[in-house]
Amino acid sequence: METKYKEIRNRDDASVKSYPMNGGEGQYSYAKTSSFYQQRGLDITKTFLSEEITKKLDVKLLCSSSNSFNIADLGCSVGPNTLFGIQNIIQSIELTSQFQGLNVQFQVFFNDHTSNDFNTLFKSLPPGRTYFAAGVPGTFYGRLFPENSLHFVHSSYAIHWLSKVPEEVADKNSAAWNKGRVVHGGSKEVEKVFSCQYENCMEKFLRARAMEIVCGGFMALLLPCIPNGADPAKSSLVAAFDLVGSSLMELAERGLLDEAEVDSFNLPIYVPAPAKLESLIQRNGCFKIERMEQFLRPMTHDKRQSVEKLALVIRSGVEGIIKQHLGSEFIDQIFNLYTEKLIESELFSSANYVPMFDLFIFLKRI
């Protein structure tokens, strides 16, 4: 066991890239923009989470040797969403533990890359919280905690981010060169290498969590998804990300950006179908799927306002990556153009595109 631990221990590996959301509390910060999409998803799944915890969580069994209940939020980013999600979990566990005649103390670990804006996150911690808080820096595609130390793991809108972009999509000599695009969903070759990278990442994620979560503990995951059998290129969310690439190409044609640099740029994102994630969980063999819920995320009736908000959400997520690769000189032009393209597109109104879906998964460590 000691050898295995050393093999997957979290470390600063050059092959694992850091893609933090925009920090701070400004107009384009993740803290300001994420209430539109991510928090609405947490609102929808609050009932799912409460039902599963109430029916299936045995607090007395999990805390038989201690009255401490350890929760980890992986890919916490910054802002109110992670605090909202944790509060939902704790409220449900408190009700369950009180019913079982227990009084537990909660320790919450907030995890993200070392470059995450933990300062802003910790400044926003509610003063009257009923839990102890700590930060755990590092990629969740490796080990973060001691063996059998966590009772509950939560991660929302994080595991569709890859540990790195597949090298083939940036290689013009590769059949998987993704010229003119920035995400998966193009050619079969591009889709294959993105899919393989996602499988590799999720195998590491599940293997690490299997060692950290106690037997009988739980993990709740929330992420965007593509319906089984749907064409990724026709997913409105994937296509919305790909319009970033269209905007970059247009600015390259105007001479503002280097075309070769644009051609080598891709987003480390893979939006999976439920069947793929289910298959990876079953292959891991350490978790039982207690619940899977796929639900529609329609845009509101005010299309322009909704699309403008979605553009801000996407900017808060990918702006830092673009700056790393292409610099910051034309960042406002990029996203002004992107917003215009998103508004003018038919991604959220045409029957030719699959609407946005999310996936909620509740797992038990067996």
Side-chain angles (χ1 to χ4, degrees):
M1 183 63 72
E2 179 65 22
T3 301
K4 185 175 182 181
Y5 175 85
K6 289 180 179 178
E7 287 175 354
I8 62 173
R9 179 180 293 170
N10 200 324
R11 58 190 182 277
D12 291 329
D13 188 334
S15 67
V16 176
K17 305 300 182 182
S18 177
Y19 310 107
M21 305 296 101
N22 280 355
E25 300 175 275
Q27 179 183 3
Y28 305 122
S29 68
Y30 184 83
K32 290 292 186 184
T33 66
S34 59
S35 60
F36 171 69
Y37 186 94
Q38 293 89 336
Q39 188 169 325
R40 286 169 61 192
L42 290 167
D43 279 333
I44 293 169
T45 56
K46 181 178 179 180
T47 301
F48 302 158
L49 197 61
S50 178
E51 288 175 351
E52 294 304 306
I53 289 174
T54 302
K55 289 188 296 184
K56 297 170 182 175
L57 184 67
D58 189 334
V59 181
K60 189 172 184 178
L61 177 64
L62 293 182
C63 300
S64 58
S65 60
S66 169
N67 69 337
S68 177
F69 194 97
N70 296 330
I71 303 170
D73 189 70
L74 306 183
C76 65
S77 191
V78 61
N81 286 343
T82 186
L83 308 177
F84 179 73
I86 287 298
Q87 192 59 41
N88 290 344
I89 294 168
I90 288 178
Q91 285 176 350
S92 296
I93 297 174
E94 281 180 329
L95 289 174
T96 303
S97 61
Q98 289 169 10
F99 180 77
Q100 296 174 4
L102 300 172
N103 182 24
V104 299
Q105 298 183 82
F106 294 97
Q107 173 69 65
V108 177
F109 299 99
F110 294 99
N111 155 258
D112 213 314
H113 283 286
T114 56
S115 52
N116 184 58
D117 184 6
F118 283 102
N119 286 335
T120 296
L121 173 63
F122 290 135
K123 283 193 297 183
S124 64
L125 284 169
R129 64 187 183 277
T130 58
Y131 56 87
F132 298 97
V136 178
T139 173
F140 53 53
Y141 290 125
R143 285 289 301 280
L144 293 162
F145 303 95
E147 295 175 35
N148 302 314
S149 62
L150 299 177
H151 302 105
F152 200 103
V153 167
H154 176 255
S155 183
S156 63
Y157 302 107
I159 62 169
H160 63 293
W161 288 92
L162 303 172
S163 64
K164 64 176 182 178
V165 172
E167 295 177 1
E168 297 92 334
V169 298
D171 182 359
K172 64 180 180 180
N173 296 315
S174 168
W177 188 30
N178 204 23
K179 179 177 173 60
R181 297 176 60 90
V182 296
V183 288
H184 69 106
S187 68
K188 291 182 179 179
E189 292 81 5
V190 170
E191 184 66 25
K192 182 179 179 180
V193 295
F194 267 102
S195 177
C196 287
Q197 181 63 51
Y198 185 75
E199 290 177 11
N200 178 265
C201 288
M202 283 308 301
E203 285 172 356
K204 292 178 179 178
F205 178 88
L206 292 168
R207 189 166 69 241
R209 304 296 82 77
M211 297 186 72
E212 296 166 348
I213 300 174
V214 301
C215 186
F218 290 92
M219 178 161 61
L221 305 174
L222 176 60
L223 66 154
C225 74
I226 297 171
N228 292 329
D231 180 359
K234 292 300 181 180
S235 161
S236 59
L237 182 59
V238 173
F241 277 117
D242 209 38
L243 280 177
V244 174
S246 173
S247 303
L248 296 177
M249 289 295 292
E250 184 167 328
L251 291 184
E253 290 169 1
R254 297 180 192 175
L256 299 180
L257 298 174
D258 183 87
E259 185 173 352
E261 290 295 318
V262 170
D263 284 340
S264 66
F265 177 75
N266 286 266
L267 294 172
I269 290 171
Y270 183 82
V271 184
K276 174 175 282 295
L277 203 46
E278 183 176 7
S279 174
L280 291 169
I281 293 166
Q282 291 173 344
R283 186 191 306 175
N284 172 266
C286 295
F287 295 93
K288 177 186 177 184
I289 299 175
E290 296 285 346
R291 184 168 184 169
M292 288 187 72
E293 294 276 358
Q294 178 182 297
F295 55 96
L296 183 65
R297 294 294 304 274
M299 300 294 280
T300 61
H301 296 297
D302 188 340
K303 178 191 171 185
R304 183 181 183 91
Q305 185 182 54
S306 295
V307 172
E308 287 175 343
K309 287 182 178 179
L310 181 62
L312 287 174
V313 172
I314 291 177
R315 175 170 183 166
S316 71
V318 306
E319 180 176 351
I321 310 171
I322 293 175
K323 286 181 177 179
Q324 286 180 24
H325 193 85
L326 299 170
S328 59
E329 183 178 0
F330 300 106
I331 202 71
D332 286 333
Q333 289 96 316
I334 291 169
F335 285 103
N336 289 340
L337 179 59
Y338 172 71
T339 303
E340 291 175 13
K341 286 179 176 288
L342 199 60
I343 292 171
E344 294 170 0
S345 75
E346 298 182 347
L347 299 184
F348 308 106
S349 58
S350 172
N352 293 325
Y353 288 93
V354 179
M356 294 190 293
F357 282 87
D358 279 1
L359 182 66
F360 172 81
I361 308 176
F362 197 81
L363 304 173
K364 181 177 182 179
R365 176 67 171 94
I366 54 178

